[in-house]
Amino acid sequence: MINTDIATKFADRETPFYYYDMDVLARTLEAAHEASQKRGFHVHYALKANFNDVLLKRIQEIGFGADCVSGNEVRKAIECGFTPQNITFAGVGKSDKEINYALTQQIFAFNVESIQELEVINELASKQGVKANVALRINPNVDAHTHHYITTGLDENKFGVPNADLEKCASVLKKCEFIELVGLHFHVGSQITDMTVFKSLCVKVNEWKSWFEERGTQIRVLNVGGGLGIDYKNPDGNSIPDFEAYFDIFDRFLERKPYQEVHFELGRALVAQCGSLISRVLYVKNGVKKNFLVLDAGMTELMRPALYQAYHKIDNLSAVETEESLNYDVVGPICESSDCFGKEVPLPDSGRGDLIAIRSAGAYGEVMASRYNLREEIRFVYSDQL
Ligand code: LLP
């Protein structure tokens, strides 16, 4: 929640910056921890959503593991205190250098996406004389009903071992002496708000688990990925995702034996609502057809609206609430027409210097920032340091 008291404390700060509400983060982590713990579920936080050190330390302290998609993310997780035995390494294109590094760290598991990758990991592990723990990522062909750029579990997506390859995969695995199959991995997409998608995923996980068991392969870990969505429309009223409902679906629909563990890789749901991008109005420009608010933050700081046409709630922290609202196109300073945070956004009469908060920006915000137009490095403010 950003109120006028907090906005007053922003007054002398140089904008733009990311503001992290550490109380929202703590409450979100506690809710996720409680709901997962009581069902015996394991959560690996997906660093790709945000690898800010300060946030990572809090996430590590609560006891979650880490889900990484590059050698550098594995290194970062270890630096921030995650134990390698609690780190998974996913991704469709792991380089030899990255695999070698993760092998030396003896991480919990590689999420493997193809037969060729299995063979490469086996060979690199044999050269190091170690065993690599592997979870096989299966493409379950489940539609996540989300934006097509963040849908990953359909046959047309590049992710996971295609179903047609699994028979061969099972026999290759038997020959890979330096690989230990610990489990199966699935991930169907991100910003999923329709819980029936997760129910459909459970059905597929059950099918594939039985398929392997029928072939005499024991599966210890069922990793069902991440994807739980958040409420971008109402970040204050609905700041904590419904982790109870989410974990309950898997508890009810995932068939498992007592020795089988269920793992999750949540990113967005844990960190999105604690972050806002704070910016100032540079200019109010009344165009022929539109009123533009030109901010000092742009797609270089938060790319989601430009890339996915994503909605983020926009608040004017300086304006008096009772004022009549006008419709503005809220844009950034970058030389691209896609540099737009929202079209026809109803806001109070706004002026140069007003502080603007772009909400729900804690996930896939800071991490996707770029220096395009030679923009300055992004700055941060944490609520407990105000
Ligand atoms: N596991 C795997 C294998 C993934 O590919 C992802 C996200 C996650 C876990 C975490 O998903 P989450 O719980 O955060 O939904 N940049 C996009 C989102 C890309 C998601 C990529 N994969 C956005 O801003 O919406």
Side-chain angles (χ1 to χ4, degrees):
M1 171 78 100
I2 303 183
N3 52 32
T4 30
D5 284 356
I6 293 172
T8 320
K9 295 185 184 161
F10 293 160
D12 299 325
R13 297 202 180 243
E14 191 178 353
T15 46
F17 59 83
Y18 270 96
Y19 170 69
Y20 290 114
D21 185 326
M22 301 309 279
D23 179 54
V24 170
L25 177 67
R27 285 188 289 117
T28 309
L29 295 178
E30 273 154 30
H33 189 249
E34 198 191 319
S36 56
Q37 274 281 68
K38 73 177 187 209
R39 296 173 171 91
F41 291 166
H42 301 254
V43 175
H44 287 91
Y45 166 65
L47 261 79
K48 64 170 82 64
N50 194 326
F51 46 69
N52 176 301
D53 285 19
V54 176
L55 271 59
L56 273 187
K57 290 212 173 87
R58 298 290 161 88
I59 295 167
Q60 181 272 325
E61 279 160 15
I62 200 137
F64 292 154
D67 164 43
C68 303
V69 283
S70 71
N72 286 341
E73 280 194 1
V74 174
R75 186 172 291 108
K76 169 70 93 177
I78 293 172
E79 279 165 11
C80 286
F82 291 89
T83 55
Q85 290 68 41
N86 227 348
I87 294 178
T88 54
F89 182 12
V92 72
K94 304 175 190 75
S95 71
D96 293 18
K97 183 176 160 191
E98 291 176 313
I99 294 169
N100 272 324
Y101 169 68
L103 282 171
T104 59
Q105 298 302 315
Q106 290 284 289
I107 61 163
F108 173 70
F110 291 84
N111 293 338
V112 168
E113 308 229 0
S114 68
I115 295 177
Q116 199 171 24
E117 187 190 336
L118 262 186
E119 290 166 343
V120 169
I121 293 180
N122 186 56
E123 190 190 322
L124 295 175
S126 84
K127 285 189 185 143
Q128 286 196 27
V130 294
K131 271 215 163 186
N133 291 328
V134 156
L136 210 57
R137 179 169 180 176
I138 297 176
N139 187 332
N141 198 24
V142 168
D143 192 343
H145 301 299
T146 183
H147 192 282
H148 60 285
Y149 279 9
I150 51 177
T151 291
T152 53
L154 288 175
D155 282 345
E156 67 227 46
N157 300 130
K158 69 179 175 184
F159 300 100
V161 180
N163 296 357
D165 281 0
L166 280 168
E167 195 78 61
K168 182 163 178 219
C169 206
S171 67
V172 169
L173 265 172
K174 292 205 170 107
K175 287 186 221 134
C176 290
E177 284 175 56
F178 292 89
I179 282 184
E180 177 83 30
L181 183 74
V182 294
L184 301 180
H185 173 234
F186 304 82
H187 174 77
V188 291
S190 197
Q191 183 51 20
I192 298 168
T193 49
D194 172 3
M195 291 292 145
T196 61
V197 169
F198 296 117
K199 194 174 158 190
S200 311
L201 172 61
C202 289
V203 173
K204 293 284 180 171
V205 175
N206 294 339
E207 280 172 21
W208 283 112
K209 182 172 74 80
S210 308
W211 189 91
F212 275 90
E213 285 168 350
E214 279 157 19
R215 281 155 184 78
T217 307
Q218 273 215 348
I219 300 297
R220 183 164 61 83
V221 173
L222 300 170
N223 181 339
V224 293
L228 176 61
I230 61 136
D231 191 345
Y232 281 96
K233 293 260 153 67
N234 188 11
D236 291 321
N238 199 6
S239 61
I240 316 252
D242 192 349
F243 293 109
E244 273 295 326
Y246 171 69
F247 288 122
D248 189 55
I249 296 263
F250 292 93
D251 205 9
R252 280 193 293 146
F253 296 105
L254 217 51
E255 293 159 6
R256 54 205 195 270
K257 307 205 168 65
Y259 64 85
Q260 283 171 328
E261 296 174 8
V262 186
H263 290 216
F264 294 81
E265 301 170 341
L266 290 175
R268 186 189 317 263
L270 299 178
V271 292
Q273 297 290 30
C274 76
S276 296
L277 176 61
I278 309 295
S279 172
R280 275 194 176 85
V281 177
L282 288 175
Y283 304 106
V284 183
K285 190 172 161 183
N286 297 321
V288 180
K289 291 192 175 162
K290 301 266 194 177
N291 295 321
F292 294 100
L293 282 190
V294 184
L295 307 186
D296 62 4
M299 62 192 285
T300 40
E301 284 69 45
L302 180 66
M303 208 203 278
R304 302 193 70 255
L307 194 57
Y308 315 113
Q309 299 77 50
Y311 173 87
H312 284 259
K313 185 167 185 285
I314 300 175
D315 294 333
N316 184 329
L317 305 177
S318 309
V320 183
E321 271 183 23
T322 50
E323 282 177 32
E324 208 179 296
S325 78
L326 297 170
N327 282 350
Y328 294 98
D329 276 19
V330 181
V331 301
I334 308 303
C335 306
E336 302 261 353
S337 290
S338 57
D339 184 28
C340 178
F341 289 119
K343 288 192 191 296
E344 300 288 326
V345 182
L347 285 170
D349 195 0
S350 304
R352 176 170 161 83
D354 282 1
L355 279 166
I356 302 289
I358 303 171
R359 310 295 305 280
S360 315
Y364 307 107
E366 181 192 332
V367 281
M368 291 174 72
S370 84
R371 301 291 307 277
Y372 183 43
N373 284 196
L374 203 50
R375 300 276 293 165
E376 287 192 23
E377 296 257 12
I378 190 74
R379 286 173 286 267
F380 319 101
V381 174
Y382 305 93
S383 60
D384 53 3
Q385 293 169 8
L386 272 178

